[in-house]
Protein backbone atom coordinates (compact mmCIF):
# COMPACT_ATOMS: atom_id res chain seq x y z
CA UNK A 1 0.00 0.00 0.00
CA UNK A 2 2.85 2.40 0.77
CA UNK A 3 4.18 1.97 -2.78
CA UNK A 4 1.07 3.73 -4.14
CA UNK A 5 1.67 6.75 -1.90
CA UNK A 6 5.39 6.81 -2.79
CA UNK A 7 4.51 6.84 -6.50
CA UNK A 8 2.18 9.77 -5.86
CA UNK A 9 4.89 11.65 -3.93
CA UNK A 10 7.32 11.23 -6.82
CA UNK A 11 4.68 12.48 -9.27
CA UNK A 12 4.18 15.59 -7.14
CA UNK A 13 7.90 16.28 -7.10
CA UNK A 14 8.15 15.78 -10.88
CA UNK A 15 5.35 18.35 -11.30
CA UNK A 16 7.33 20.92 -9.30
CA UNK A 17 5.33 20.39 -6.12
CA UNK A 18 5.91 19.04 -2.65
CA UNK A 19 6.75 15.30 -2.60
CA UNK A 20 4.03 13.96 -0.33
CA UNK A 21 1.68 11.23 -1.51
CA UNK A 22 -1.29 9.42 -0.02
CA UNK A 23 -3.84 6.73 -0.76
CA UNK A 24 -7.05 5.58 0.90
CA UNK A 25 -7.79 1.85 1.07
CA UNK A 26 -10.87 -0.02 2.25
CA UNK A 27 -10.78 -2.79 4.85
CA UNK A 28 -10.06 -5.41 2.19
CA UNK A 29 -7.06 -3.51 0.85
CA UNK A 30 -8.87 -2.20 -2.21
CA UNK A 31 -7.66 1.20 -3.39
CA UNK A 32 -10.41 3.81 -3.07
CA UNK A 33 -8.44 6.92 -4.02
CA UNK A 34 -4.93 8.23 -4.38
CA UNK A 35 -3.34 11.66 -4.66
CA UNK A 36 -0.44 13.91 -3.89
CA UNK A 37 0.15 17.35 -2.48
CA UNK A 38 -0.99 19.81 -5.16
CA UNK A 39 -0.74 23.11 -3.29
CA UNK A 40 1.76 24.51 -5.80
CA UNK A 41 0.29 23.00 -8.95
CA UNK A 42 -3.31 24.04 -8.18
CA UNK A 43 -2.59 27.21 -6.21
CA UNK A 44 -4.82 25.68 -3.52
CA UNK A 45 -3.54 25.72 0.05
CA UNK A 46 -5.99 22.98 1.05
CA UNK A 47 -4.81 20.41 -1.49
CA UNK A 48 -2.62 18.27 0.73
CA UNK A 49 -1.88 14.67 -0.28
CA UNK A 50 -4.38 13.14 2.14
CA UNK A 51 -7.06 15.60 1.03
CA UNK A 52 -6.38 14.73 -2.60
CA UNK A 53 -6.62 10.99 -1.95
CA UNK A 54 -9.78 11.51 0.11
CA UNK A 55 -11.43 13.58 -2.63
CA UNK A 56 -10.40 11.09 -5.30
CA UNK A 57 -11.97 8.26 -3.29
CA UNK A 58 -15.36 9.87 -3.76
CA UNK A 59 -18.20 9.68 -1.35
CA UNK A 60 -18.22 6.63 0.90
CA UNK A 61 -21.13 5.64 3.12
CA UNK A 62 -18.67 5.07 5.96
CA UNK A 63 -14.93 5.33 6.45
CA UNK A 64 -14.77 2.81 9.30
CA UNK A 65 -12.24 0.15 8.50
CA UNK A 66 -10.40 2.29 5.96
CA UNK A 67 -6.67 3.02 6.02
CA UNK A 68 -5.09 6.30 4.94
CA UNK A 69 -1.56 5.65 3.73
CA UNK A 70 0.66 8.72 3.60
CA UNK A 71 4.35 9.21 2.95
CA UNK A 72 4.67 11.78 5.76
CA UNK A 73 3.13 12.24 9.19
CA UNK A 74 -0.18 14.02 8.58
CA UNK A 75 -0.36 17.69 9.51
CA UNK A 76 -3.08 18.91 11.86
CA UNK A 77 -5.34 19.75 8.93
CA UNK A 78 -5.12 16.22 7.52
CA UNK A 79 -5.27 14.67 10.98
CA UNK A 80 -8.56 16.50 11.44
CA UNK A 81 -9.85 14.98 8.21
CA UNK A 82 -8.97 11.49 9.44
CA UNK A 83 -10.71 12.09 12.77
CA UNK A 84 -13.74 13.88 11.32
CA UNK A 85 -14.60 11.03 8.96
CA UNK A 86 -13.63 8.13 11.22
CA UNK A 87 -10.80 6.70 9.16
CA UNK A 88 -9.66 3.75 11.26
CA UNK A 89 -5.95 3.51 10.54
CA UNK A 90 -3.11 5.66 9.24
CA UNK A 91 0.05 4.12 7.79
CA UNK A 92 2.85 6.69 7.77
CA UNK A 93 5.96 6.33 5.62
CA UNK A 94 8.07 8.58 7.82
CA UNK A 95 7.81 10.98 10.73
CA UNK A 96 11.47 11.96 10.99
CA UNK A 97 11.36 15.16 8.94
CA UNK A 98 7.93 16.25 10.22
CA UNK A 99 5.71 15.19 13.10
CA UNK A 100 2.09 16.17 12.64
CA UNK A 101 -0.94 15.02 14.58
CA UNK A 102 -0.48 11.27 14.53
CA UNK A 103 0.01 10.99 18.30
CA UNK A 104 -3.25 12.91 18.79
CA UNK A 105 -4.98 10.55 16.38
CA UNK A 106 -3.70 7.55 18.34
CA UNK A 107 -5.01 9.10 21.56
CA UNK A 108 -8.44 9.21 19.91
CA UNK A 109 -8.50 5.57 18.82
CA UNK A 110 -7.02 5.73 15.34
CA UNK A 111 -4.53 2.94 14.63
CA UNK A 112 -1.13 4.38 13.72
CA UNK A 113 1.77 2.61 12.05
CA UNK A 114 4.99 4.56 11.38
CA UNK A 115 7.40 2.82 9.02
CA UNK A 116 10.36 5.31 8.99
CA UNK A 117 11.28 4.34 5.44
CA UNK A 118 14.85 5.53 4.64
CA UNK A 119 13.93 6.31 1.02
CA UNK A 120 11.13 8.64 2.14
CA UNK A 121 13.27 10.30 4.80
CA UNK A 122 15.88 10.99 2.12
CA UNK A 123 13.25 12.26 -0.32
CA UNK A 124 11.95 14.81 2.19
CA UNK A 125 15.37 15.75 3.57
CA UNK A 126 16.61 16.50 0.06
CA UNK A 127 13.45 18.44 -0.80
CA UNK A 128 13.61 20.55 2.38
CA UNK A 129 17.29 21.36 1.70
CA UNK A 130 16.55 22.33 -1.92
CA UNK A 131 13.25 24.21 -1.38
CA UNK A 132 13.09 25.39 2.25
CA UNK A 133 10.82 28.33 1.42
CA UNK A 134 8.25 26.05 -0.19
CA UNK A 135 8.47 23.54 2.64
CA UNK A 136 7.94 26.13 5.36
CA UNK A 137 5.03 27.61 3.43
CA UNK A 138 3.46 24.15 3.24
CA UNK A 139 3.69 23.55 6.99
CA UNK A 140 2.56 27.09 7.84
CA UNK A 141 5.83 28.43 9.18
CA UNK A 142 7.55 31.62 8.11
Amino acid sequence: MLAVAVEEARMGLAEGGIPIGAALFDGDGRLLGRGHNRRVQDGDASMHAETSAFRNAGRQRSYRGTTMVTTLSPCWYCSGLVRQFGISHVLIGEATTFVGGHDWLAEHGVGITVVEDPELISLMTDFIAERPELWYEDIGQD
Side-chain angles (χ1 to χ4, degrees), residues 77-92:
Y77 170 68
C78 295
S79 294
L81 180 145
V82 167
R83 180 112 160 83
Q84 173 70 32
F85 290 96
I87 293 170
S88 299
H89 190 259
V90 180
L91 174 72
I92 301 164

Side-chain angles (χ1 to χ4, degrees), residues 9-101:
R10 293 200 177 285
M11 282 194 288
L13 183 63
E15 294 170 358
I18 299 159
I20 304 170
L24 184 65
F25 292 87
D26 72 10
D28 295 324
R30 184 176 60 95
L31 178 65
L32 299 172
R34 59 189 289 167
H36 52 273
N37 185 302
R38 297 194 51 84
R39 294 181 78 247
V40 174
Q41 298 93 313
D42 295 352
D44 180 349
S46 70
M47 193 47 77
H48 289 202
E50 298 87 345
T51 305
S52 179
F54 184 77
R55 287 179 179 174
N56 289 330
R59 181 177 168 206
Q60 305 294 313
R61 186 177 184 289
S62 173
Y63 295 89
R64 283 179 182 54
T66 61
T67 298
M68 178 66 76
V69 179
T70 180
T71 57
L72 186 65
S73 176
C75 70
W76 287 104
Y77 170 68
C78 295
S79 294
L81 180 145
V82 167
R83 180 112 160 83
Q84 173 70 32
F85 290 96
I87 293 170
S88 299
H89 190 259
V90 180
L91 174 72
I92 301 164
E94 70 103 345
T96 297
T97 60
F98 178 78
V99 177

